[in-house]
Amino acid sequence: MKIISDIQELRDHLRGQNRASFVPTMGNLHEGHLSLMRLARQHGDPVVASIFVNRLQFGPNEDFDSYPRTMQADIDKLEKEGVYILFAPTERDLYPQPQEYRVDPPQQLGDILEGEFRPGFFKGVCTVVLKLLSCVQPQVAVFGKKDYQQLMIIRQMAKQFALPVDIVPGETIRAEDGLALSSRNSYLSSAERTEAPELQKVLKEARARVLDLSERNDHALNEIEKVAISTLTRRGWNPDYIAIRQQSDLARPSNESLQTGEGLVILTAAKLGKTRLIDNLEI
Ligand code: PAF
């Protein structure tokens, strides 16, 4: 595997490759990321991965400094997966000048759910993803469904800018007890790690309640959200949101759209101790 930090060198290596597939990451790779590498291989060749902890998407009180950086272990894992190039720019490589041009997603997608609790997060994500896509110029880029809202926002960005890339979603990979794999799971104490799978259990219960409804309407969905929030709160969690939304645009479903059988997804973010976990389940 070639490890490249310089944008020009990356372009030189990829010249003439018009079927590359790309998996951007912030490192601290786990089985979830590796499943995305395998999916990328099915969609293009060569596979390019990136590792870059993107300061622009962290708020002032978030974990940019303490975000786990495990470069050598990540390199070993990517080599085993047969990744062709690891693009691992420094901040100076990727942002040689202050990044004054930014991509601002529309409020109705970027300022809800994660965007409400992490202001500016999706602006930082879109800006770095557009830049990484411009550096790698892949035919396909893979993003995990664990970050459901991120995937949707990047899809819309690619569509609205007519970027010549297919955005491919990868399924969430879970530990045996149901906890969605995430780099931030490493922040959990052992007692918290034992409690953490409750997040998915609560989503599953909420999904079962939605499926059991004789008639779906916004009042019934609100009640299901409230029960899920109070279950987590009683167990000592501090939920930011549990929200049942339309899969197509993450808007709150209206009574009319519920009658048309619109696909739904239930999304959550909740703190367990100091660790903020996110998860979602399609209904
Ligand atoms: O999902 C992530 O790891 C990051 O948000 C991404 C897409 C690599 C952008 O920094």
Side-chain angles (χ1 to χ4, degrees), residues 192-206:
E192 288 165 351
R193 177 62 191 80
T194 308
E195 170 64 19
E198 278 305 314
L199 192 61
Q200 196 223 10
K201 281 195 198 137
V202 166
L203 293 187
K204 277 185 158 170
E205 279 161 22

Side-chain angles (χ1 to χ4, degrees), residues 23-27 33 50 52-54 57 67 121 124-126 128-129 132 143-144 147 150 154:
V23 186
T25 80
M26 298 206 299
H33 296 109
S50 68
F52 181 69
V53 184
N54 173 39
Q57 70 191 70
Y67 196 84
F121 171 65
V125 168
C126 286
V128 78
V129 169
L132 290 168
F143 294 85
D147 297 289
Q150 168 174 280
I154 288 169

Side-chain angles (χ1 to χ4, degrees), residues 56-71:
L56 300 187
Q57 70 191 70
F58 287 80
N61 300 319
E62 292 185 349
D63 54 345
F64 175 76
D65 290 327
S66 59
Y67 196 84
R69 288 159 173 88
T70 51
M71 190 55 95

Side-chain angles (χ1 to χ4, degrees), residues 15-280:
R15 185 157 306 117
Q17 304 275 14
N18 54 10
R19 286 195 56 243
S21 56
F22 176 44
V23 186
T25 80
M26 298 206 299
N28 192 235
L29 303 180
H30 49 66
E31 199 46 41
H33 296 109
L34 303 183
S35 76
L36 301 183
M37 305 294 159
R38 288 168 213 143
L39 184 59
R41 159 138 331 98
Q42 291 169 23
H43 286 269
D45 181 55
V47 177
V48 180
S50 68
I51 295 181
F52 181 69
V53 184
N54 173 39
R55 187 187 290 274
L56 300 187
Q57 70 191 70
F58 287 80
N61 300 319
E62 292 185 349
D63 54 345
F64 175 76
D65 290 327
S66 59
Y67 196 84
R69 288 159 173 88
T70 51
M71 190 55 95
Q72 192 50 54
D74 293 348
I75 291 172
D76 295 345
K77 289 175 187 165
L78 293 176
E79 272 184 332
K80 279 207 193 104
E81 292 301 329
V83 167
Y84 175 65
I85 290 179
L86 167 60
F87 180 43
T90 61
E91 289 198 282
R92 205 178 249 252
D93 289 311
L94 205 62
Y95 301 132
Q97 304 164 325
Q99 185 67 35
E100 287 160 345
Y101 284 70
R102 308 256 176 130
V103 182
D104 204 357
Q107 279 177 1
Q108 71 274 16
L109 260 190
D111 292 356
I112 60 167
L113 304 168
E114 281 303 280
E116 182 183 339
F117 289 90
R118 304 185 66 189
F121 171 65
F122 288 117
K123 198 174 184 177
V125 168
C126 286
T127 302
V128 78
V129 169
L130 183 65
K131 192 148 188 181
L132 290 168
L133 290 173
S134 150
C135 295
V136 178
Q137 302 191 11
Q139 189 190 40
V140 165
V142 179
F143 294 85
K145 277 165 108 172
K146 156 104 187 333
D147 297 289
Y148 204 87
Q149 189 177 4
Q150 168 174 280
L151 167 66
M152 169 155 297
I153 287 177
I154 288 169
R155 267 201 167 138
Q156 288 301 323
M157 174 179 80
K159 194 169 168 196
Q160 290 211 357
F161 283 118
L163 302 179
V165 61
D166 283 337
I167 304 297
V168 170
E171 292 304 325
T172 301
I173 304 296
R174 298 182 181 277
E176 266 180 27
D177 58 12
L179 176 65
L181 298 191
S182 160
S183 302
R184 290 191 169 98
N185 292 351
S186 63
Y187 298 156
L188 297 167
S189 68
S190 68
E192 288 165 351
R193 177 62 191 80
T194 308
E195 170 64 19
E198 278 305 314
L199 192 61
Q200 196 223 10
K201 281 195 198 137
V202 166
L203 293 187
K204 277 185 158 170
E205 279 161 22
R207 178 171 67 180
R209 289 206 173 94
V210 174
L211 292 172
D212 273 355
L213 287 173
S214 51
E215 192 210 309
R216 290 186 191 179
N217 57 52
D218 56 4
H219 175 74
L221 296 187
N222 281 343
E223 288 305 307
I224 292 171
E225 290 172 353
K226 276 192 205 150
V227 170
I229 287 178
S230 71
T231 306
L232 279 183
T233 311
R234 256 188 286 113
R235 299 187 65 93
W237 293 70
N238 190 359
D240 280 346
Y241 60 85
I242 295 188
I244 301 170
R245 295 297 172 97
Q246 303 186 154
Q247 282 178 24
S248 56
D249 57 4
L250 297 186
R252 226 174 261 289
S254 64
N255 284 337
E256 294 74 56
S257 67
L258 287 168
Q259 302 322 312
T260 63
E262 168 79 42
L264 300 176
V265 56
I266 171 157
L267 307 110
T268 184
K271 279 208 200 82
L272 185 56
K274 291 198 171 100
T275 308
R276 187 172 182 278
L277 299 177
I278 64 170
D279 203 350
N280 63 78

